[in-house]
Amino acid sequence: MQFMLLFSRQGKLRLQKWYVPLCDKEKKKITRELVQTVLARKPKMCSFLEWRDLKIVYKRYASLYFCCAIEDQDNELITLEIIHRYVELLDKYFGSVCELDIIFNFEKAYFILDEFLLGGEAQETSKKNVLKAIEQADLLQENLDFQICLLPAPT
Amino acid sequence: MPAVSKGDGMRGLAVFISDIRNCKSKEAEIKRINKELANIRSKFKGDKALDGYSKKKYVCKLLFIFLLGHDIDFGHMEAVNLLSSNKYTEKQIGYLFISVLVNSNSELIRLINNAIKNDLSSRNPTFMCLALHCIANVGSREMAEAFAGEIPRILVAGDTMDSVKQSAALCLLRLYKTSPDLVLMGEWTSRVVHLLNDQHMGVVTAAISLITCLSQKNPDEFKTCVSLAVSRLSRIVSSASTDLQDYTYYFVPAPWLSCKLLRLLQCYPPPEDGAVKGRLVECLETILNKAQEPPKSKKVQHSNAKNAILFEAISLIIHYDSEPNLLVRACNQLGQFLQHRETNLRYLALESMCTLASSEFSHEAVKTHIETVINALKTERDVSVRQRAADLLYAMCDRSNAKQIVAEMLSYLETADYSIREEMVLKVAILAEKYAVDYSWYVDTILNLIRIAGDYVSEEVWYRVIQIVINRDDVQGYAAKTVFEALQAPACHENMVKVGGYILGEFGNLIAGDPRSSPLVQFNLLHSKFHLCSVPTRALLLSAYIKFINLFPETKSTIQEVLRSDSQIRNSDVELQQRAVEYLKLSSIASTDVLATVLEEMPPFPERESSILAKLKKKKGPGAVSVNELEEGKREGGELNGGGERGGDNSAIATSNASTPSPSADLLGLRAGPPVTAAAPSAGSLLVDVFSEAGVNDDGFLRDLEPPTESSDSLLAEGPGDSDSAPPSVVSEDPAPPLPESNELLNKFVCKNNGVLFENQLLQIGIKSEYRQNLGRMYLFYGNKTSVQFVTFSTTVTCPGELQSQLNVQSKPVEPLIEGGAQVQQVINIECLTDFSDAPLLNIKFRYGGALQNLTLKLPVTINKFFQPTEMASHDFFQRWKQLSLPQQEAQKIFKANHAMDTEVLKAKLLGLGMALLENVDPNPENFVCAGVIQTKAQQVGSLLRLEPKRASSDVPINRAQQ
């Protein structure tokens, strides 16, 4: 996979993950172009399209579009299910996820994605294992926050 | 307010995000952001040291601002500081910031790498994973340099935790993709292959991506993975849907891993071991069988996962292309999907069938679905699906169904989406030509194309129809009649006028017997379109008119009147004005004989590959048109052009092109000159006078035919990265700039083909090359002069800048290892497409005792290598010499001789240049004259050379005329 974009029906980018080195300008251009293309498509159309020399696989969940760019030899259907598994992971973690969760906890959305996909390839497809890793991290985090609350602010 | 804020509460962050969301306008948002940026900046710059929590919060805010699309130019240092925090939460945010916002700021990279190094050696798996994620996310070269050695060790160490192994595998994959030369194969490679047997499915899933990528590059080293992959696949395929617990996805066991295993197998030919192969075929059959079973769930996820595996299995079957039974089964399965209610499946089935159509075993099976595919083309609501249907029709087309498919595509064109029209037009044109049995059908088809989608008919298409009509005399009468009828339409496309003008100008006489299409009627018809056309078309029509004067003397006065009218002879367009003046003059002063010779019917075009095919290929990228197709196209195209009937013409090409640009070629703007008839040389000068300018300008093809102006000297002196480039000892991974001496090295080879190109203490590069026509082959010999082996030896040949489109250079891979004292050979094939002045660059990289050597040379490929010597008599030589009088047709240079002038040495040099040295041509015996034709794919350029040595002053003026 070359990159993954999450954007809203209004075209607002909610998450971007790039697995190939590109400059910021190019990233912005690609994003603009793809958001426009995908939003222009009608609901019943197929989830795949050719774009430049890549294949775009996208799916809409409620108000959010999940859009992946894969290479020629990659499998479209399994990519569609990568998207779905990521949605499941978010859903399980946030408890019935909505766009706001991803806006306010964007860092978490990134952490979950990194546990699931790394370098554009599936790292761990088991839902249990991914969530276990994230929850462990949260545990570390909560302990630390607890400490911070107890300690007087440094002067 | 936030719906959930889990884990920690960075309250300030949540408030800030809310604020941004509440902004009513873009301006308000920017104002709020600027306020926040100022605040953060002051906090970072303040005297008071920030605690980790605040630092984390501000860094996180900066990240959010960046993700909104704003530029962030500070905070990197604070993020790097967070990396060395021993609090997980701070470290994590630090890493996230670096992953998202990294730029190759070298100082920072060093600090980042330090932090990563610490975490990697911390033996805390959570920290190790964070560090590995960061490397995988950034994947920069500096990181590869720092960690490419360490990560394989982590990956295969016995005591590494599973989760760390998973991250390490994919981290290494990312580094291998960005810097393959830094990831060295070693004893870890065989242990990586055995990760396919790992008990932990997650480890296998991650490792297989790495193994697949490595296998593609080093198939031999990894070939043991085939049997391991087959047995792993077989275990998954035969497992019950609950066996794999959490790796079962909607009742499908391990779909991701299955797809990846099937993908890995596509890197290799079918297994040789009978047992392994049997087991694999069994797996594939099971997968095909499962597709027929009733679904275990109604959920789309179930069917998607199942079908993902099925499509991957079909890809493998197509890749093997050796099991007729499986191929036909695959085809039937896809046939079912063609009518599936899921658009996604119809799309994929059409796509996959395209590749099946090219297999001899399944071509017929694919053809049985023609009606369904035609129906898809007509009724699918999604243009991307229709596009696939059109692709498939194209792929399944053969002689038996060509008429039906072409007709369907034509009728689809009338309503086709604009986005795919041009491609459809090209496809129709190619199919019509490839499968034409009778040429009237071909002509009808192309004219229909122009009628239906004239705007999308590119020049290649109408050039091609004219080439074919000219080469096939059995269709000329029909073509004339058809274009005449087509032109009757009140509104006809300009491309139709072009084709009509050209064909009637050549073959109007074939229908002139019928009073309804008498010469004057034809002329009036054409001229009625004249005023609606653009300049290039008008120019073409003017040429057609002068041809009419020759064909039909009775039209002479009418046409002369038209030419004489102010709107022609004083046309503000220079091209039109010139044509009008010259044609008028020609028609009034030339005798009928001269007229008949000059305006003779076009000679047949030489066979050539259809340029339409090339265009389609370019449009679709290399994958779209298979090599087979191209070959076939070439073969069939050849047939169409009249096959080998004109074998004897080749010899004529060289001489005729050395003398004149053929006007016939110019008119069509085709790049290779067609052979001219026997009469041409005598009419040569006249042709040049009348047509050379006018003809060349026609249709804006000037640039293709424009003579190259460089003298041989300037050609050699030029080149990117001249002498002030970095010395070769600077070791960088990017290809080094060319060596300062590379131009000089290049000069050495202008007049010779073999020798030593380069030599230093380590390496010697020898060269042997041979050239024929516009093709060349070069053998490079790399000799290791030391007693230590060179490892990761690799070479790349690149064509900088516009050279890319001028030369086609292909190099065979070279052995990555050169033992001490040994020599390896590399073959490079070169095709000259059109004239060029730069030299290709040869970059060589290898490691000698651990140190990277990186040097770039210029490959001694110069335009004169493609000379074909041409003999001619004194009279001819000087006649041609005089014709080449335009400033851009000649170059002269006076230079001092570096050495004493020896006639024999000079002769040898001139012969080495590649031209024919003509004896007894120049009246002054001291002078040397040469002639040759530069052979490029696009054109042939005749060149004449004269060298006048002046002994007294030891100056050697050299005259070189080119055209």
Side-chain angles (χ1 to χ4, degrees):
Chain A
M1 188 185 296
Q2 299 223 337
F3 57 84
M4 184 192 256
L5 303 174
L6 265 65
F7 50 88
S8 69
R9 275 167 70 189
Q10 289 76 35
K12 284 230 188 260
L13 191 60
R14 295 303 180 203
L15 184 138
Q16 45 176 318
K17 188 78 189 179
W18 305 85
Y19 297 112
V20 284
L22 291 169
C23 65
D24 283 347
K25 207 174 140 204
E26 183 65 15
K27 287 180 188 170
K28 280 187 183 166
K29 191 170 158 239
I30 292 176
T31 309
R32 212 167 27 219
E33 211 174 296
L34 267 184
V35 168
Q36 225 170 34
T37 313
V38 171
L39 288 180
R41 291 177 62 86
K42 297 192 187 76
K44 284 279 171 190
M45 285 186 166
C46 94
S47 310
F48 320 125
L49 52 123
E50 283 183 329
W51 181 80
R52 301 194 187 173
D53 53 349
L54 296 175
K55 299 194 285 197
I56 302 298
V57 177
Y58 72 93
K59 188 161 179 176
R60 187 179 139 185
Y61 287 86
S63 58
L64 266 190
Y65 283 87
F66 290 68
C67 173
C68 296
I70 56 174
E71 281 147 73
D72 192 46
Q73 73 277 12
D74 291 337
N75 189 312
E76 291 98 337
L77 284 174
I78 209 73
T79 309
L80 212 46
E81 294 319 299
I82 284 202
I83 293 176
H84 187 75
R85 170 104 311 172
Y86 182 46
V87 174
E88 284 184 349
L89 288 166
L90 293 171
D91 196 63
K92 187 95 185 172
Y93 180 78
F94 289 108
S96 161
V97 67
C98 68
E99 192 182 340
L100 278 182
D101 293 320
I102 295 173
I103 297 172
F104 279 97
N105 302 283
F106 66 94
E107 79 281 10
K108 288 283 189 287
Y110 275 101
F111 297 148
I112 295 172
L113 188 58
D114 270 356
E115 289 295 335
F116 175 41
L117 297 181
L118 193 58
E121 300 283 340
Q123 172 174 226
E124 178 55 85
T125 59
S126 152
K127 199 154 64 173
K128 252 188 231 154
N129 289 353
V130 173
L131 290 173
K132 206 164 69 192
I134 295 291
E135 272 155 19
Q136 269 172 359
D138 275 345
L139 221 61
L140 284 168
Q141 201 150 301
E142 271 166 7
N143 290 341
L144 290 166
D145 290 337
F146 181 64
Q147 286 169 9
I148 288 166
C149 294
L150 286 184
L151 292 171
T155 47
Chain B
M1 278 308 286
V4 203
S5 180
K6 215 173 162 171
D8 63 340
M10 278 186 282
R11 205 163 168 279
L13 176 67
V15 170
F16 174 59
I17 296 176
S18 293
D19 281 0
I20 296 288
R21 286 180 54 74
N22 290 334
C23 286
K24 294 276 184 295
S25 65
K26 195 81 197 160
E27 289 71 33
E29 183 185 310
I30 291 174
K31 209 172 145 202
R32 178 69 185 89
I33 285 170
N34 284 337
K35 187 180 149 202
E36 192 63 37
L37 286 175
N39 172 38
I40 299 173
R41 208 176 256 125
S42 76
K43 293 280 190 217
F44 283 169
K45 282 205 180 130
D47 310 327
K48 221 166 60 175
L50 287 176
D51 60 68
Y53 171 79
S54 317
K55 223 184 265 177
K56 177 184 85 169
K57 184 178 72 186
Y58 292 130
V59 165
C60 216
K61 280 184 182 174
L62 286 179
L63 191 53
F64 181 77
I65 294 171
F66 176 79
L67 290 171
L68 281 178
H70 302 270
D71 292 332
I72 294 296
D73 53 6
F74 70 102
H76 299 77
M77 203 55 212
E78 283 71 17
V80 174
N81 285 340
L82 286 177
L83 296 185
S84 41
S85 163
N86 52 9
K87 289 177 189 158
Y88 180 78
T89 160
E90 290 167 18
K91 201 186 263 296
Q92 198 185 21
I93 294 291
Y95 272 127
L96 179 61
F97 185 93
I98 302 295
S99 300
V100 176
L101 257 123
V102 82
N103 53 17
S104 323
N105 186 328
S106 57
E107 283 168 62
L108 277 183
I109 284 284
R110 237 190 14 254
L111 292 172
I112 296 168
N113 280 356
N114 258 335
I116 291 177
K117 200 166 284 169
N118 288 335
D119 282 335
L120 283 184
S121 51
S122 70
R123 308 193 64 78
N124 173 338
T126 326
F127 286 7
M128 286 173 87
C129 280
L130 270 187
L132 289 168
H133 290 180
C134 180
I135 301 174
N137 281 326
V138 177
S140 70
R141 196 143 182 105
E142 292 88 346
M143 286 192 175
E145 273 162 7
F147 303 110
E150 173 71 11
I151 294 169
R153 274 198 292 280
I154 297 177
L155 176 59
V156 296
D159 57 348
T160 305
M161 299 264 298
D162 288 333
S163 62
V164 178
K165 269 190 199 165
Q166 287 167 275
S167 298
L170 293 174
C171 186
L172 190 57
L173 171 60
R174 174 73 195 260
L175 293 185
Y176 186 75
K177 278 185 184 164
T178 39
S179 321
D181 53 314
L182 293 180
V183 178
L184 305 177
M185 301 297 128
E187 51 94 37
W188 59 274
T189 22
S190 63
R191 300 176 65 182
V192 165
V193 175
H194 282 275
L195 289 177
L196 286 176
N197 267 339
D198 202 284
Q199 289 195 318
H200 191 285
M201 292 283 271
V203 172
V204 190
T205 308
I208 194 170
S209 297
L210 173 67
I211 295 168
T212 305
C213 181
L214 292 172
S215 307
Q216 281 165 343
K217 303 278 165 56
N218 323 277
D220 284 344
E221 275 178 73
F222 286 85
K223 62 171 179 264
T224 48
C225 71
V226 173
S227 61
L228 290 177
V230 170
S231 61
R232 188 96 214 189
L233 180 69
S234 148
R235 268 178 285 158
I236 296 174
V237 168
S238 57
S239 64
S241 51
T242 49
D243 287 358
L244 302 174
Q245 294 164 355
D246 211 32
Y247 289 93
T248 296
Y249 179 83
Y250 291 87
F251 304 102
V252 182
W256 284 280
L257 183 52
S258 305
C259 284
K260 286 184 175 194
L261 285 164
L262 288 162
R263 176 91 199 87
L264 170 61
L265 291 171
Q266 288 170 61
C267 303
Y268 289 92
E272 281 160 21
D273 182 329
V276 177
K277 187 167 180 195
R279 210 166 168 198
L280 178 56
V281 169
E282 220 169 87
C283 287
L284 295 171
E285 278 169 347
T286 313
I287 293 171
L288 285 168
N289 291 341
K290 278 190 180 174
Q292 296 299 327
E293 288 171 12
K296 293 197 175 68
S297 156
K298 286 239 161 28
K299 289 252 166 59
V300 68
Q301 282 76 25
H302 171 71
S303 71
N304 278 352
K306 197 165 119 180
N307 291 328
I309 300 173
L310 178 63
F311 276 104
E312 208 59 65
I314 291 177
S315 295
L316 182 62
I317 294 170
I318 296 172
H319 167 76
Y320 286 162
D321 199 14
S322 61
E323 301 283 329
N325 179 30
L326 288 176
L327 280 162
V328 171
R329 278 193 70 185
C331 186
N332 293 341
Q333 182 61 55
L334 294 176
Q336 286 180 19
F337 285 155
L338 286 181
Q339 313 207 45
H340 201 279
R341 61 187 165 80
E342 278 272 329
T343 314
N344 287 346
L345 283 181
R346 295 198 302 275
Y347 176 96
L348 294 175
L350 289 165
E351 188 185 41
S352 194
M353 255 198 192
C354 262
T355 35
L356 269 180
S358 58
S359 163
E360 53 170 323
F361 300 116
S362 48
H363 183 79
E364 287 304 316
V366 171
K367 273 168 62 184
T368 59
H369 299 287
I370 186 166
E371 298 302 335
T372 319
V373 182
I374 288 173
N375 201 37
L377 187 64
K378 286 178 177 160
T379 58
E380 282 290 350
R381 285 196 300 193
D382 183 348
V383 56
S384 38
V385 186
R386 290 197 295 273
Q387 167 91 61
R388 291 284 84 83
D391 286 350
L392 179 52
L393 282 180
Y394 179 74
M396 68 163 71
C397 190
D398 61 20
R399 227 171 259 293
S400 71
N401 56 19
K403 284 203 174 172
Q404 185 188 7
I405 286 178
V406 166
E408 290 295 346
M409 284 175 130
L410 271 176
S411 78
Y412 172 62
L413 252 179
E414 307 212 28
T415 54
D417 313 77
Y418 295 109
S419 56
I420 64 173
R421 277 196 187 183
E422 190 187 352
E423 199 185 313
M424 290 286 294
V425 166
L426 292 175
K427 285 185 165 155
V428 170
I430 290 167
L431 293 178
E433 178 183 337
K434 202 165 152 185
Y435 299 116
V437 186
D438 77 84
Y439 291 93
S440 48
W441 174 71
Y442 169 75
V443 170
D444 283 343
T445 304
I446 301 297
L447 293 185
N448 265 330
L449 259 189
I450 297 176
R451 204 175 291 136
I452 293 167
D455 283 345
Y456 298 88
V457 172
S458 58
E459 291 179 326
E460 284 86 349
V461 173
W462 76 262
Y463 292 168
R464 191 71 183 157
V465 69
I466 284 175
Q467 283 171 27
I468 287 171
V469 169
I470 288 191
N471 287 7
R472 308 278 324 184
D473 42 19
D474 53 340
V475 78
Q476 289 161 353
Y478 181 79
K481 180 168 157 280
T482 321
V483 290
F484 179 77
E485 280 161 10
L487 287 172
Q488 308 280 343
C492 65
H493 195 272
E494 190 165 334
N495 280 335
M496 186 70 86
V497 179
K498 288 180 184 166
V499 176
Y502 202 102
I503 288 185
L504 292 180
E506 294 294 325
F507 308 115
N509 54 330
L510 300 177
I511 55 167
D514 187 326
R516 285 166 300 178
S517 52
S518 70
L520 265 178
V521 173
Q522 286 185 42
F523 170 75
N524 287 332
L525 181 60
L526 279 180
H527 198 54
S528 68
K529 314 285 180 193
F530 188 91
H531 306 279
L532 304 168
C533 293
S534 62
V535 169
T537 309
R538 290 189 193 189
L540 184 148
L541 285 177
L542 289 180
S543 297
Y545 296 171
I546 186 77
K547 288 235 165 189
F548 264 52
I549 292 185
N550 177 45
L551 287 180
F552 316 116
E554 65 266 38
T555 59
K556 184 169 168 176
S557 58
T558 317
I559 290 174
Q560 280 183 332
E561 204 159 308
V562 167
L563 292 174
R564 205 177 289 125
S565 72
D566 278 356
S567 62
Q568 307 301 348
I569 213 156
R570 296 186 179 210
N571 194 296
S572 60
D573 185 272
V574 178
E575 176 62 34
L576 293 179
Q577 192 188 94
Q578 186 173 358
R579 282 195 188 206
V581 171
E582 288 179 353
Y583 291 164
L584 185 59
K585 206 73 189 157
L586 178 70
S587 67
S588 23
I589 59 171
S591 70
T592 343
D593 282 355
V594 171
L595 213 55
T597 315
V598 174
L599 301 170
E600 194 176 21
E601 184 182 309
M602 287 285 298
F605 286 85
E607 295 171 33
R608 61 165 71 92
E609 183 188 300
S610 164
S611 50
I612 308 177
L613 207 56
K615 178 159 176 152
L616 179 69
K617 197 169 167 236
K618 199 165 137 203
K619 205 174 152 52
K620 290 285 282 183
V625 183
S626 69
V627 179
N628 278 346
E629 229 172 313
L630 262 174
E631 298 278 288
E632 201 179 334
K634 210 185 280 180
R635 203 169 60 236
E636 309 243 356
E639 246 168 61
L640 248 171
N641 277 332
E645 290 162 22
R646 301 186 320 278
D649 283 347
N650 285 343
S651 56
I653 297 177
T655 46
S656 66
N657 278 284
S659 65
T660 63
S662 165
S664 43
D666 305 334
L667 206 54
L668 266 184
L670 296 166
R671 286 128 205 217
V676 271
T677 48
S682 61
S685 59
L686 191 57
L687 279 169
V688 172
D689 292 339
V690 179
F691 286 98
S692 60
E693 273 296 284
V696 168
N697 283 329
D698 189 15
D699 297 337
F701 269 85
L702 185 59
R703 65 179 182 283
D704 295 319
L705 290 159
E706 201 171 44
T709 51
E710 303 86 347
S711 73
S712 62
D713 311 273
S714 67
L715 177 148
L716 299 172
E718 281 172 9
D722 263 342
S723 47
D724 52 353
S725 49
S729 57
V730 172
V731 177
S732 141
E733 286 295 344
D734 296 322
L739 295 177
E741 67 266 35
S742 57
N743 281 326
E744 201 186 309
L745 297 172
L746 184 63
N747 279 336
K748 278 199 333 198
F749 282 86
V750 170
C751 295
K752 63 175 183 179
N753 286 337
N754 305 329
V756 174
L757 176 66
F758 172 81
E759 185 157 20
N760 63 14
Q761 285 123 323
L762 306 178
L763 176 73
Q764 185 193 55
I765 305 175
I767 228 169
K768 254 186 169 175
S769 46
E770 45 186 313
Y771 293 87
R772 195 156 299 137
Q773 305 277 3
N774 67 328
L775 303 175
R777 176 169 295 171
M778 189 177 270
Y779 299 89
L780 291 170
F781 300 89
Y782 304 98
N784 181 346
K785 291 170 65 182
T786 72
S787 53
V788 183
Q789 58 177 213
F790 295 163
V791 293
T792 59
F793 190 90
S794 72
T795 68
T796 39
V797 180
T798 50
C799 291
E802 57 176 354
L803 190 59
Q804 245 169 24
S805 56
Q806 298 163 339
L807 270 191
N808 189 356
V809 182
Q810 284 171 337
S811 50
K812 303 258 163 72
V814 64
E815 288 291 330
L817 193 136
I818 310 182
E819 293 294 345
Q823 191 183 53
V824 298
Q825 178 190 330
Q826 181 179 32
V827 183
I828 293 177
N829 289 321
I830 303 153
E831 184 189 16
C832 176
L833 302 173
T834 182
D835 75 86
F836 63 96
S837 52
D838 281 342
L841 298 179
L842 169 70
N843 175 253
I844 301 154
K845 278 188 207 155
F846 60 93
R847 284 185 183 271
Y848 165 72
L852 177 73
Q853 306 290 323
N854 181 353
L855 59 108
T856 301
L857 297 165
K858 293 192 173 179
L859 268 191
V861 182
T862 45
I863 188 76
N864 66 296
K865 300 290 179 198
F866 302 97
F867 259 131
Q868 192 161 305
T870 311
E871 294 292 339
M872 61 178 75
S874 175
H875 170 76
D876 282 342
F877 183 88
F878 284 102
Q879 192 186 357
R880 283 166 203 197
W881 185 270
K882 281 181 202 124
Q883 280 165 13
L884 302 174
S885 53
L886 294 173
Q888 75 268 28
Q889 286 180 318
E890 61 176 301
Q892 174 167 350
K893 179 145 180 158
I894 301 173
F895 54 90
K896 268 201 166 56
N898 288 331
H899 307 284
M901 280 186 288
D902 178 324
T903 312
E904 289 313 309
V905 172
L906 281 176
K907 275 187 182 171
K909 283 267 178 222
L910 288 170
L911 284 173
L913 194 64
M915 304 174 89
L917 185 59
L918 305 177
E919 305 278 2
N920 305 325
V921 164
D922 199 295
N924 180 348
E926 293 283 297
N927 290 349
F928 299 90
V929 293
C930 302
V933 178
I934 292 177
Q935 306 274 345
T936 76
K937 191 179 181 205
Q939 69 199 121
Q940 291 156 335
V941 183
S943 304
L944 307 174
L945 175 148
R946 190 176 187 197
L947 178 72
E948 305 173 13
K950 294 248 165 54
R951 286 184 190 277
S953 62
S954 84
D955 273 350
V956 182
I958 183 165
N959 261 335
R960 184 156 190 262
Q962 279 197 320
Q963 133 216 321

